[in-house]
Short mmCIF file of all heavy atoms in Angstrom, two decimals:
data_model
loop_
_atom_site.label_atom_id
_atom_site.label_comp_id
_atom_site.label_asym_id
_atom_site.label_seq_id
_atom_site.Cartn_x
_atom_site.Cartn_y
_atom_site.Cartn_z
N TYR W 528 -234.08 -70.68 69.35
CA TYR W 528 -233.97 -69.55 70.28
C TYR W 528 -235.34 -68.97 70.62
O TYR W 528 -235.61 -68.62 71.76
CB TYR W 528 -233.03 -68.49 69.73
CG TYR W 528 -231.64 -69.03 69.55
CD1 TYR W 528 -231.13 -69.28 68.28
CD2 TYR W 528 -230.85 -69.32 70.65
CE1 TYR W 528 -229.86 -69.81 68.11
CE2 TYR W 528 -229.58 -69.85 70.50
CZ TYR W 528 -229.09 -70.09 69.23
OH TYR W 528 -227.84 -70.62 69.08
N VAL W 529 -236.19 -68.87 69.64
CA VAL W 529 -237.55 -68.37 69.89
C VAL W 529 -238.31 -69.35 70.77
O VAL W 529 -238.99 -68.96 71.73
CB VAL W 529 -238.31 -68.11 68.57
CG1 VAL W 529 -239.75 -67.76 68.82
CG2 VAL W 529 -237.62 -67.02 67.78
N ALA W 530 -238.16 -70.64 70.47
CA ALA W 530 -238.83 -71.66 71.28
C ALA W 530 -238.31 -71.65 72.71
O ALA W 530 -239.09 -71.76 73.67
CB ALA W 530 -238.62 -73.04 70.66
N MET W 531 -237.01 -71.47 72.88
CA MET W 531 -236.42 -71.41 74.21
C MET W 531 -236.96 -70.21 74.99
O MET W 531 -237.34 -70.33 76.15
CB MET W 531 -234.89 -71.29 74.09
CG MET W 531 -234.14 -71.22 75.39
SD MET W 531 -232.37 -70.90 75.15
CE MET W 531 -231.91 -72.12 73.94
N LEU W 532 -237.03 -69.09 74.32
CA LEU W 532 -237.55 -67.87 74.95
C LEU W 532 -239.01 -68.06 75.38
O LEU W 532 -239.37 -67.76 76.53
CB LEU W 532 -237.41 -66.71 73.98
CG LEU W 532 -237.52 -65.33 74.57
CD1 LEU W 532 -236.45 -64.45 73.96
CD2 LEU W 532 -238.88 -64.74 74.28
N LEU W 533 -239.84 -68.58 74.49
CA LEU W 533 -241.25 -68.78 74.81
C LEU W 533 -241.44 -69.82 75.91
O LEU W 533 -242.27 -69.64 76.81
CB LEU W 533 -242.02 -69.19 73.55
CG LEU W 533 -242.14 -68.13 72.47
CD1 LEU W 533 -242.77 -68.72 71.22
CD2 LEU W 533 -242.94 -66.94 72.98
N TYR W 534 -240.66 -70.90 75.85
CA TYR W 534 -240.79 -71.94 76.87
C TYR W 534 -240.40 -71.41 78.24
O TYR W 534 -241.09 -71.67 79.23
CB TYR W 534 -239.93 -73.15 76.51
CG TYR W 534 -239.96 -74.20 77.58
CD1 TYR W 534 -241.06 -75.04 77.72
CD2 TYR W 534 -238.91 -74.34 78.49
CE1 TYR W 534 -241.11 -75.99 78.72
CE2 TYR W 534 -238.96 -75.28 79.50
CZ TYR W 534 -240.06 -76.10 79.61
OH TYR W 534 -240.11 -77.03 80.62
N LEU W 535 -239.30 -70.69 78.31
CA LEU W 535 -238.86 -70.18 79.61
C LEU W 535 -239.85 -69.17 80.18
O LEU W 535 -240.11 -69.16 81.39
CB LEU W 535 -237.46 -69.58 79.50
CG LEU W 535 -236.35 -70.61 79.33
CD1 LEU W 535 -235.03 -69.93 79.07
CD2 LEU W 535 -236.27 -71.50 80.56
N VAL W 536 -240.38 -68.31 79.33
CA VAL W 536 -241.38 -67.34 79.81
C VAL W 536 -242.61 -68.09 80.33
O VAL W 536 -243.11 -67.79 81.42
CB VAL W 536 -241.77 -66.34 78.70
CG1 VAL W 536 -243.03 -65.56 79.09
CG2 VAL W 536 -240.63 -65.39 78.42
N PHE W 537 -243.08 -69.05 79.57
CA PHE W 537 -244.25 -69.82 80.00
C PHE W 537 -243.98 -70.56 81.31
O PHE W 537 -244.78 -70.50 82.25
CB PHE W 537 -244.66 -70.83 78.92
CG PHE W 537 -245.78 -71.72 79.35
CD1 PHE W 537 -247.09 -71.29 79.32
CD2 PHE W 537 -245.52 -73.01 79.82
CE1 PHE W 537 -248.13 -72.10 79.74
CE2 PHE W 537 -246.55 -73.84 80.24
CZ PHE W 537 -247.85 -73.38 80.20
N ALA W 538 -242.84 -71.26 81.36
CA ALA W 538 -242.54 -72.07 82.55
C ALA W 538 -242.37 -71.19 83.79
O ALA W 538 -242.88 -71.52 84.86
CB ALA W 538 -241.29 -72.91 82.31
N MET W 539 -241.68 -70.09 83.64
CA MET W 539 -241.46 -69.24 84.82
C MET W 539 -242.72 -68.48 85.20
O MET W 539 -243.07 -68.40 86.37
CB MET W 539 -240.31 -68.27 84.56
CG MET W 539 -238.96 -68.95 84.55
SD MET W 539 -237.61 -67.79 84.45
CE MET W 539 -237.74 -66.99 86.05
N ARG W 540 -243.40 -67.90 84.25
CA ARG W 540 -244.55 -67.03 84.56
C ARG W 540 -245.77 -67.85 84.98
O ARG W 540 -246.41 -67.52 85.97
CB ARG W 540 -244.88 -66.17 83.34
CG ARG W 540 -246.06 -65.26 83.54
CD ARG W 540 -245.76 -64.22 84.59
NE ARG W 540 -246.96 -63.45 84.90
CZ ARG W 540 -247.48 -63.34 86.11
NH1 ARG W 540 -246.88 -63.89 87.13
NH2 ARG W 540 -248.58 -62.66 86.30
N PHE W 541 -246.09 -68.89 84.23
CA PHE W 541 -247.36 -69.58 84.48
C PHE W 541 -247.21 -70.84 85.33
O PHE W 541 -248.13 -71.19 86.04
CB PHE W 541 -248.05 -69.90 83.15
CG PHE W 541 -248.36 -68.66 82.37
CD1 PHE W 541 -247.65 -68.36 81.22
CD2 PHE W 541 -249.32 -67.77 82.80
CE1 PHE W 541 -247.91 -67.21 80.50
CE2 PHE W 541 -249.60 -66.61 82.09
CZ PHE W 541 -248.89 -66.33 80.94
N GLN W 542 -246.09 -71.50 85.25
CA GLN W 542 -245.91 -72.69 86.10
C GLN W 542 -245.20 -72.32 87.40
O GLN W 542 -245.54 -72.84 88.45
CB GLN W 542 -245.14 -73.77 85.35
CG GLN W 542 -245.94 -74.38 84.23
CD GLN W 542 -245.19 -75.49 83.53
OE1 GLN W 542 -243.98 -75.42 83.35
NE2 GLN W 542 -245.92 -76.52 83.12
N GLY W 543 -244.21 -71.46 87.31
CA GLY W 543 -243.47 -71.08 88.51
C GLY W 543 -244.03 -69.87 89.22
O GLY W 543 -243.60 -69.54 90.33
N ARG W 544 -244.94 -69.15 88.58
CA ARG W 544 -245.60 -67.97 89.13
C ARG W 544 -244.63 -66.85 89.49
O ARG W 544 -244.81 -66.13 90.46
CB ARG W 544 -246.46 -68.35 90.33
CG ARG W 544 -247.48 -69.44 90.03
CD ARG W 544 -248.61 -69.47 91.00
NE ARG W 544 -249.44 -70.63 90.87
CZ ARG W 544 -250.28 -70.88 89.87
NH1 ARG W 544 -250.39 -70.03 88.89
NH2 ARG W 544 -251.01 -71.98 89.85
N TYR W 545 -243.60 -66.70 88.67
CA TYR W 545 -242.70 -65.55 88.82
C TYR W 545 -243.34 -64.37 88.11
O TYR W 545 -244.23 -64.52 87.29
CB TYR W 545 -241.34 -65.85 88.19
CG TYR W 545 -240.52 -66.85 88.97
CD1 TYR W 545 -240.59 -68.20 88.67
CD2 TYR W 545 -239.68 -66.44 89.98
CE1 TYR W 545 -239.85 -69.12 89.38
CE2 TYR W 545 -238.93 -67.35 90.71
CZ TYR W 545 -239.03 -68.69 90.39
OH TYR W 545 -238.30 -69.59 91.10
N GLY W 546 -242.86 -63.19 88.39
CA GLY W 546 -243.37 -61.99 87.76
C GLY W 546 -242.92 -61.92 86.31
O GLY W 546 -242.07 -62.68 85.85
N TRP W 547 -243.51 -60.95 85.58
CA TRP W 547 -243.16 -60.82 84.17
C TRP W 547 -241.71 -60.41 83.98
O TRP W 547 -241.03 -60.92 83.08
CB TRP W 547 -244.08 -59.80 83.49
CG TRP W 547 -245.41 -60.38 83.13
CD1 TRP W 547 -246.61 -60.17 83.75
CD2 TRP W 547 -245.68 -61.29 82.06
NE1 TRP W 547 -247.59 -60.88 83.14
CE2 TRP W 547 -247.05 -61.59 82.09
CE3 TRP W 547 -244.90 -61.90 81.10
CZ2 TRP W 547 -247.65 -62.46 81.18
CZ3 TRP W 547 -245.49 -62.76 80.18
CH2 TRP W 547 -246.86 -63.03 80.24
N LEU W 548 -241.23 -59.47 84.78
CA LEU W 548 -239.86 -58.98 84.60
C LEU W 548 -238.82 -60.08 84.80
O LEU W 548 -237.95 -60.27 83.92
CB LEU W 548 -239.58 -57.79 85.52
CG LEU W 548 -238.21 -57.15 85.34
CD1 LEU W 548 -238.04 -56.62 83.92
CD2 LEU W 548 -238.00 -56.04 86.36
N PRO W 549 -238.84 -60.83 85.92
CA PRO W 549 -237.86 -61.91 86.04
C PRO W 549 -238.01 -62.98 84.96
O PRO W 549 -237.01 -63.54 84.48
CB PRO W 549 -238.13 -62.52 87.42
CG PRO W 549 -238.99 -61.57 88.14
CD PRO W 549 -239.64 -60.69 87.13
N SER W 550 -239.24 -63.25 84.56
CA SER W 550 -239.46 -64.27 83.52
C SER W 550 -238.86 -63.83 82.19
O SER W 550 -238.14 -64.59 81.54
CB SER W 550 -240.95 -64.54 83.35
OG SER W 550 -241.52 -65.00 84.55
N LEU W 551 -239.16 -62.60 81.80
CA LEU W 551 -238.63 -62.10 80.52
C LEU W 551 -237.12 -61.94 80.57
O LEU W 551 -236.42 -62.29 79.61
CB LEU W 551 -239.30 -60.77 80.16
CG LEU W 551 -240.76 -60.90 79.73
CD1 LEU W 551 -241.39 -59.51 79.62
CD2 LEU W 551 -240.85 -61.62 78.40
N ALA W 552 -236.61 -61.42 81.69
CA ALA W 552 -235.15 -61.23 81.80
C ALA W 552 -234.42 -62.56 81.75
O ALA W 552 -233.39 -62.68 81.06
CB ALA W 552 -234.84 -60.49 83.10
N THR W 553 -234.92 -63.55 82.43
CA THR W 553 -234.28 -64.86 82.41
C THR W 553 -234.35 -65.48 81.03
O THR W 553 -233.36 -66.05 80.54
CB THR W 553 -234.94 -65.80 83.44
OG1 THR W 553 -234.83 -65.22 84.73
CG2 THR W 553 -234.30 -67.17 83.44
N ALA W 554 -235.50 -65.38 80.39
CA ALA W 554 -235.66 -65.98 79.05
C ALA W 554 -234.75 -65.31 78.04
O ALA W 554 -234.05 -65.99 77.27
CB ALA W 554 -237.12 -65.91 78.62
N VAL W 555 -234.74 -63.99 78.02
CA VAL W 555 -233.90 -63.27 77.05
C VAL W 555 -232.42 -63.51 77.37
O VAL W 555 -231.61 -63.75 76.47
CB VAL W 555 -234.24 -61.76 77.05
CG1 VAL W 555 -233.23 -60.97 76.24
CG2 VAL W 555 -235.65 -61.54 76.51
N GLY W 556 -232.06 -63.47 78.64
CA GLY W 556 -230.67 -63.71 79.03
C GLY W 556 -230.20 -65.11 78.68
O GLY W 556 -229.08 -65.31 78.20
N THR W 557 -231.06 -66.09 78.89
CA THR W 557 -230.69 -67.47 78.57
C THR W 557 -230.55 -67.66 77.07
O THR W 557 -229.58 -68.28 76.60
CB THR W 557 -231.75 -68.45 79.12
OG1 THR W 557 -231.84 -68.24 80.53
CG2 THR W 557 -231.37 -69.89 78.85
N ALA W 558 -231.49 -67.12 76.30
CA ALA W 558 -231.40 -67.25 74.84
C ALA W 558 -230.14 -66.54 74.33
O ALA W 558 -229.43 -67.08 73.47
CB ALA W 558 -232.65 -66.69 74.18
N ALA W 559 -229.84 -65.36 74.87
CA ALA W 559 -228.63 -64.64 74.45
C ALA W 559 -227.37 -65.41 74.86
O ALA W 559 -226.41 -65.51 74.09
CB ALA W 559 -228.62 -63.24 75.07
N PHE W 560 -227.37 -65.99 76.07
CA PHE W 560 -226.22 -66.77 76.53
C PHE W 560 -225.98 -67.97 75.62
O PHE W 560 -224.84 -68.23 75.21
CB PHE W 560 -226.46 -67.24 77.98
CG PHE W 560 -225.39 -68.13 78.51
CD1 PHE W 560 -224.19 -67.59 78.97
CD2 PHE W 560 -225.57 -69.50 78.56
CE1 PHE W 560 -223.19 -68.42 79.44
CE2 PHE W 560 -224.58 -70.34 79.03
CZ PHE W 560 -223.38 -69.79 79.49
N PHE W 561 -227.04 -68.68 75.28
CA PHE W 561 -226.87 -69.85 74.41
C PHE W 561 -226.46 -69.42 73.00
O PHE W 561 -225.65 -70.08 72.36
CB PHE W 561 -228.16 -70.69 74.37
CG PHE W 561 -228.23 -71.67 75.49
CD1 PHE W 561 -228.92 -71.38 76.64
CD2 PHE W 561 -227.59 -72.90 75.40
CE1 PHE W 561 -228.98 -72.27 77.69
CE2 PHE W 561 -227.64 -73.81 76.45
CZ PHE W 561 -228.33 -73.50 77.60
N TYR W 562 -227.01 -68.31 72.52
CA TYR W 562 -226.63 -67.84 71.19
C TYR W 562 -225.14 -67.49 71.16
O TYR W 562 -224.40 -67.92 70.27
CB TYR W 562 -227.47 -66.63 70.77
CG TYR W 562 -227.01 -66.03 69.48
CD1 TYR W 562 -227.28 -66.65 68.27
CD2 TYR W 562 -226.26 -64.85 69.46
CE1 TYR W 562 -226.83 -66.12 67.08
CE2 TYR W 562 -225.81 -64.32 68.28
CZ TYR W 562 -226.09 -64.95 67.09
OH TYR W 562 -225.63 -64.43 65.90
N LEU W 563 -224.70 -66.71 72.12
CA LEU W 563 -223.29 -66.32 72.16
C LEU W 563 -222.38 -67.52 72.41
O LEU W 563 -221.33 -67.66 71.78
CB LEU W 563 -223.07 -65.24 73.23
CG LEU W 563 -223.74 -63.90 72.94
CD1 LEU W 563 -223.60 -62.96 74.14
CD2 LEU W 563 -223.16 -63.26 71.69
N GLY W 564 -222.78 -68.37 73.34
CA GLY W 564 -221.95 -69.52 73.68
C GLY W 564 -221.87 -70.55 72.57
O GLY W 564 -220.79 -71.08 72.28
N LEU W 565 -222.99 -70.84 71.96
CA LEU W 565 -223.00 -71.89 70.94
C LEU W 565 -222.67 -71.37 69.55
O LEU W 565 -221.81 -71.91 68.86
CB LEU W 565 -224.36 -72.59 70.93
CG LEU W 565 -224.68 -73.41 72.18
CD1 LEU W 565 -226.09 -73.96 72.11
CD2 LEU W 565 -223.68 -74.53 72.37
N GLU W 566 -223.35 -70.30 69.14
CA GLU W 566 -223.16 -69.83 67.77
C GLU W 566 -221.83 -69.11 67.58
O GLU W 566 -221.13 -69.35 66.60
CB GLU W 566 -224.31 -68.87 67.39
CG GLU W 566 -225.67 -69.50 67.42
CD GLU W 566 -226.03 -70.24 66.15
OE1 GLU W 566 -225.40 -70.00 65.11
OE2 GLU W 566 -226.95 -71.07 66.22
N LYS W 567 -221.50 -68.24 68.50
CA LYS W 567 -220.30 -67.41 68.33
C LYS W 567 -219.04 -68.07 68.88
O LYS W 567 -218.01 -68.07 68.23
CB LYS W 567 -220.51 -66.05 69.01
CG LYS W 567 -221.62 -65.23 68.42
CD LYS W 567 -221.35 -64.92 66.97
CE LYS W 567 -222.48 -64.12 66.35
NZ LYS W 567 -222.31 -63.97 64.91
N PHE W 568 -219.12 -68.62 70.10
CA PHE W 568 -217.92 -69.18 70.71
C PHE W 568 -217.62 -70.58 70.20
O PHE W 568 -216.53 -70.86 69.71
CB PHE W 568 -218.06 -69.19 72.24
CG PHE W 568 -216.87 -69.74 72.94
CD1 PHE W 568 -215.68 -69.04 72.96
CD2 PHE W 568 -216.93 -70.98 73.57
CE1 PHE W 568 -214.56 -69.55 73.60
CE2 PHE W 568 -215.82 -71.50 74.20
CZ PHE W 568 -214.63 -70.78 74.22
N ALA W 569 -218.58 -71.48 70.30
CA ALA W 569 -218.35 -72.88 69.91
C ALA W 569 -218.65 -73.13 68.44
O ALA W 569 -218.34 -74.21 67.93
CB ALA W 569 -219.21 -73.81 70.77
N GLN W 570 -219.26 -72.17 67.75
CA GLN W 570 -219.61 -72.28 66.33
C GLN W 570 -220.45 -73.53 66.06
O GLN W 570 -220.21 -74.29 65.12
CB GLN W 570 -218.37 -72.26 65.47
CG GLN W 570 -217.63 -70.95 65.59
CD GLN W 570 -216.42 -70.88 64.69
OE1 GLN W 570 -215.99 -71.86 64.13
NE2 GLN W 570 -215.87 -69.69 64.56
N VAL W 571 -221.43 -73.73 66.93
CA VAL W 571 -222.40 -74.82 66.77
C VAL W 571 -223.75 -74.18 66.47
O VAL W 571 -224.30 -73.47 67.32
CB VAL W 571 -222.50 -75.68 68.05
CG1 VAL W 571 -223.59 -76.74 67.90
CG2 VAL W 571 -221.17 -76.31 68.37
N GLY W 572 -224.24 -74.41 65.29
CA GLY W 572 -225.51 -73.82 64.90
C GLY W 572 -226.70 -74.63 65.39
O GLY W 572 -226.68 -75.84 65.31
N LEU W 573 -227.69 -73.94 65.93
CA LEU W 573 -228.93 -74.60 66.34
C LEU W 573 -229.99 -74.33 65.28
O LEU W 573 -229.77 -73.57 64.34
CB LEU W 573 -229.37 -74.10 67.70
CG LEU W 573 -228.44 -74.39 68.87
CD1 LEU W 573 -229.02 -73.84 70.16
CD2 LEU W 573 -228.17 -75.87 69.01
N LEU W 574 -231.15 -74.94 65.46
CA LEU W 574 -232.25 -74.72 64.53
C LEU W 574 -232.62 -73.25 64.50
O LEU W 574 -232.76 -72.61 65.54
CB LEU W 574 -233.47 -75.54 64.97
CG LEU W 574 -233.37 -77.05 64.84
CD1 LEU W 574 -234.57 -77.70 65.49
CD2 LEU W 574 -233.26 -77.44 63.40
N LYS W 575 -232.76 -72.74 63.29
CA LYS W 575 -233.16 -71.34 63.15
C LYS W 575 -234.46 -71.27 62.37
O LYS W 575 -234.72 -72.10 61.51
CB LYS W 575 -232.08 -70.56 62.43
CG LYS W 575 -230.82 -70.42 63.26
CD LYS W 575 -229.94 -69.34 62.73
CE LYS W 575 -228.77 -69.12 63.62
NZ LYS W 575 -227.82 -70.22 63.61
N GLY W 576 -235.25 -70.26 62.70
CA GLY W 576 -236.53 -70.08 62.04
C GLY W 576 -236.63 -68.72 61.42
O GLY W 576 -235.62 -68.02 61.25
N PRO W 577 -237.84 -68.31 61.11
CA PRO W 577 -238.03 -67.03 60.42
C PRO W 577 -237.65 -65.82 61.26
O PRO W 577 -237.21 -64.80 60.71
CB PRO W 577 -239.52 -67.03 60.08
CG PRO W 577 -240.14 -68.03 60.98
CD PRO W 577 -239.08 -69.03 61.29
N VAL W 578 -237.80 -65.90 62.56
CA VAL W 578 -237.47 -64.75 63.41
C VAL W 578 -235.96 -64.51 63.42
O VAL W 578 -235.49 -63.37 63.28
CB VAL W 578 -238.00 -64.95 64.86
CG1 VAL W 578 -237.58 -63.81 65.75
CG2 VAL W 578 -239.51 -65.08 64.83
N GLU W 579 -235.19 -65.59 63.56
CA GLU W 579 -233.74 -65.45 63.54
C GLU W 579 -233.27 -64.92 62.17
O GLU W 579 -232.38 -64.09 62.09
CB GLU W 579 -233.05 -66.78 63.86
CG GLU W 579 -233.15 -67.20 65.30
CD GLU W 579 -234.32 -68.12 65.55
OE1 GLU W 579 -235.18 -68.27 64.65
OE2 GLU W 579 -234.39 -68.70 66.65
N ALA W 580 -233.89 -65.40 61.10
CA ALA W 580 -233.54 -64.92 59.77
C ALA W 580 -233.88 -63.44 59.62
O ALA W 580 -233.12 -62.67 59.03
CB ALA W 580 -234.27 -65.75 58.71
N MET W 581 -235.03 -63.03 60.17
CA MET W 581 -235.43 -61.62 60.10
C MET W 581 -234.47 -60.73 60.86
O MET W 581 -234.17 -59.61 60.45
CB MET W 581 -236.85 -61.48 60.67
CG MET W 581 -237.44 -60.10 60.53
SD MET W 581 -239.12 -60.03 61.16
CE MET W 581 -238.83 -60.24 62.91
N LEU W 582 -233.93 -61.25 61.99
CA LEU W 582 -232.99 -60.48 62.80
C LEU W 582 -231.55 -60.59 62.28
O LEU W 582 -230.66 -59.94 62.80
CB LEU W 582 -233.04 -60.94 64.26
CG LEU W 582 -234.37 -60.70 64.98
CD1 LEU W 582 -234.35 -61.37 66.36
CD2 LEU W 582 -234.63 -59.22 65.10
N GLY W 583 -231.33 -61.44 61.30
CA GLY W 583 -229.99 -61.62 60.74
C GLY W 583 -229.07 -62.42 61.63
O GLY W 583 -227.85 -62.28 61.56
#
Side-chain angles (χ1 to χ4, degrees):
Y528 298 108
V529 173
M531 180 186 309
L532 197 137
L533 292 173
Y534 176 77
L535 288 173
V536 167
F537 175 80
M539 288 187 68
R540 179 66 187 123
F541 300 109
Q542 290 182 324
R544 305 201 191 288
Y545 289 92
W547 280 105
L548 184 60
S550 300
L551 288 170
T553 301
V555 171
T557 302
F560 176 79
F561 274 96
Y562 174 75
L563 293 173
L565 293 175
E566 298 276 341
K567 297 300 179 187
F568 180 70
Q570 297 182 348
V571 175
L573 297 181
L574 291 172
K575 292 197 175 70
V578 176
E579 288 94 349
M581 186 178 69
L582 295 173

